[in-house]
Amino acid sequence: QNIAKLPLLSVSEQHQLLWQWNDTQVDYPQDQCIHLLFEKQVERTPDAVAVVFEDQQLTYRELNQRANQLAHYLQSLGVGPEVLVGICVERSLEMIVGMLAVFKAGGAYVPLDPAYPQERLAFMIADAQLQVLLTQEQLLTLLPEHQATVICLDKDWGEISQYSQSKPVSNVQVSNLAYIIYTSGSTGKPKGVLVTHKGLCTLALAQIKKFDVQPTSRILQFPSFSFDASLADVLMALCSGARLCLTKKEALLPGNDLMQTINKYQISHVALPPSALAAMPNQPIPSLQAIIVAGEACATELAAQWSSRVRFFNAYGPTESTVCATMAEYTDTSQKLTLGRPVANTQIYILDEDLQAVPIGVAGEIHIGGIGLARGYLNRPELTQQKFIPNPF
């Protein structure tokens, strides 16, 4: 027998590593797309404030009605399951309306950051073959040449508002695309990751439970809309009856600006990269209940400093696994900060290059399984085949 195929683990170790630690099954609405969770929340708390931006705000009912009108308008342009809609808007209420409307119309959204260089935007629009593009009037001059039908959510709202406020019918299934997010392209050209609805409900419900998000909670939307972490903030707020707080980019600059914003909006939950948290003044924030760090490795000292005042979570997950794959709550300051355990309905395996599970304490590569896995990469079948492999367990 080839030595690489000999099992390194005893039967009990194998059971612990492969099954016991991956026993993460949690009931969730398996046949429901994420906008249905939001709509249920609208029925529960129609008059609660759903989203605020500077001095503007929308209640759950108003947000739902606007998203419904835009969804009907999108459907009149042919948007339905598997149809991609670009969203290139500044931080605003329109950003959230646009995202929900695409879900409700049955389509999938592709975030396009207006701050990106034109050539990157041009590549993404062409690669995704976008048919429809939601934007704002002041951004039209920044967009590269393209073939998509453009809708300005500010200028064209008069026309959009003529459409019905009732719930649209789309026949979208959980196996359909929800969004495509492009990776940074640091290892070559950017890759569009195809994420379906399948993992979104379980993500939202798992985070609401883990972070104890209540209808009284206030969640800051910090990451750029072009990162999947932004979606976690939005869903965590809008599927729990909490308030989602948006503000201009300048008010989120790490340091005193961010501190002032958190105090101004009385934020209870915030997800930040560790570098942004490290730049914050080391002082108590009365409203804050939970900090989630993600996107970079976090120093144990930083976790120890903040975990004495608020609940502190370290989250990890590549774009390919619906935002979040593992999570650890840091409580014991004598311990090292880890990536934690797999989140609900996710499996994590640490394997060697022959896909054999390595013993505890031995370095290996993280392999992620579960319902949150993306469908693959857009227009990159070879890479999809290389990275999305059959689960040997």
Side-chain angles (χ1 to χ4, degrees):
Q1 193 176 8
N2 184 320
I3 199 164
K5 299 281 182 282
L6 290 173
L8 294 173
L9 306 173
S10 67
V11 174
S12 63
E13 278 180 312
Q14 203 168 10
H15 180 75
Q16 182 183 39
L17 288 174
L18 300 182
W19 288 284
Q20 199 181 330
W21 285 1
N22 279 317
D23 183 13
T24 60
Q25 194 187 345
V26 171
D27 281 344
Y28 68 100
Q30 292 186 19
D31 55 346
Q32 274 191 19
C33 293
I34 192 65
H35 51 281
L36 298 180
L37 268 193
F38 165 68
E39 286 165 0
K40 282 187 177 159
Q41 189 56 51
V42 173
E43 288 169 18
R44 285 194 289 266
T45 56
D47 300 317
V49 174
V51 56
V52 298
F53 173 74
E54 305 286 289
D55 51 358
Q56 305 167 284
Q57 63 179 44
L58 292 172
T59 63
Y60 274 83
R61 183 190 281 113
E62 290 166 338
L63 175 59
N64 191 45
Q65 287 172 342
R66 283 201 197 189
N68 285 345
Q69 288 176 315
L70 180 55
H72 282 292
Y73 184 67
L74 289 171
Q75 286 182 330
S76 75
L77 298 172
V79 174
E82 303 295 312
V83 175
L84 303 179
V85 178
I87 303 184
C88 185
V89 294
E90 297 285 5
R91 289 172 179 275
S92 57
L93 299 179
E94 283 86 11
M95 189 169 93
I96 309 302
V97 171
M99 188 173 108
L100 286 170
V102 174
F103 285 156
K104 283 167 171 278
Y109 77 87
V110 182
L112 303 161
D113 192 327
Y116 280 164
Q118 273 216 330
E119 63 196 276
R120 180 174 162 101
L121 289 174
F123 167 77
M124 291 158 72
I125 292 170
D127 188 56
Q129 297 179 327
L130 293 179
Q131 299 178 22
V132 179
L133 182 54
L134 303 177
T135 188
Q136 292 156 314
E137 195 175 11
Q138 79 264 22
L139 300 176
L140 288 173
T141 53
L142 298 177
L143 290 169
E145 276 191 32
H146 60 84
Q147 304 301 309
T149 302
V150 172
I151 302 165
C152 286
L153 293 178
D154 39 12
K155 181 167 70 76
D156 299 334
W157 194 261
E159 187 186 345
I160 297 164
S161 66
Q162 303 302 304
Y163 282 77
S164 166
Q165 293 183 346
S166 65
K167 190 161 89 171
V169 176
S170 72
N171 300 319
V172 63
Q173 308 290 317
V174 289
S175 56
N176 288 126
L177 279 185
Y179 62 86
I180 293 180
I181 284 193
Y182 278 82
T183 58
S184 63
S186 53
T187 54
K189 72 178 182 186
K191 308 183 287 282
V193 181
L194 302 161
V195 183
T196 65
H197 276 270
K198 206 185 285 179
L200 286 175
C201 281
T202 197
L203 169 78
L205 295 172
Q207 291 197 315
I208 288 164
K209 187 176 175 189
K210 189 85 172 167
F211 306 143
D212 191 25
V213 181
Q214 300 293 331
T216 50
S217 300
R218 295 179 174 211
I219 294 162
L220 183 66
Q221 208 279 298
F222 179 84
S224 155
F225 195 46
S226 289
F227 291 112
D228 60 354
S230 64
L231 190 69
D233 293 339
V234 174
L235 300 183
M236 188 162 62
L238 297 184
C239 295
S240 66
R243 182 178 298 198
L244 182 68
C245 301
L246 300 161
T247 187
K248 291 197 170 96
K249 254 194 326 224
E250 305 75 66
L252 296 171
L253 289 170
N256 287 321
D257 295 305
L258 180 56
M259 189 71 131
Q260 281 175 349
T261 297
I262 289 173
N263 283 320
K264 174 184 160 187
Y265 286 108
Q266 297 282 290
I267 297 298
S268 62
H269 294 69
V270 65
L272 299 170
S275 51
L277 183 62
M280 294 254 288
N282 184 8
Q283 58 196 63
I285 304 172
S287 64
L288 206 57
Q289 294 165 14
I291 293 175
I292 302 107
V293 291
E296 305 160 354
C298 179
T300 299
E301 299 75 46
L302 191 63
Q305 176 189 315
W306 286 93
S307 64
S308 60
R309 302 190 203 122
V310 299
R311 292 182 74 196
F312 192 96
F313 298 90
N314 188 29
Y316 159 80
T319 309
E320 290 84 346
S321 68
T322 312
V323 189
C324 189
T326 72
M327 203 179 290
E329 182 169 6
Y330 187 73
T331 50
D332 185 351
T333 52
S334 66
Q335 296 290 317
K336 261 173 81 170
L337 183 66
T338 71
L339 290 183
R341 295 283 171 88
V343 297
N345 303 312
T346 300
Q347 291 81 46
I348 297 287
Y349 307 97
I350 314 291
L351 309 179
D352 65 17
E353 57 204 16
D354 294 296
L355 301 186
Q356 294 274 357
V358 297
I360 292 173
V362 174
E365 191 171 19
I366 293 185
H367 291 66
I368 304 171
I371 62 164
L373 278 196
R375 191 189 282 174
Y377 299 109
L378 179 67
N379 306 327
R380 309 282 285 277
E382 302 84 7
L383 192 64
T384 299
Q385 207 174 357
Q386 188 190 335
K387 296 290 184 189
F388 290 81
I389 59 175
N391 182 344
F393 310 111

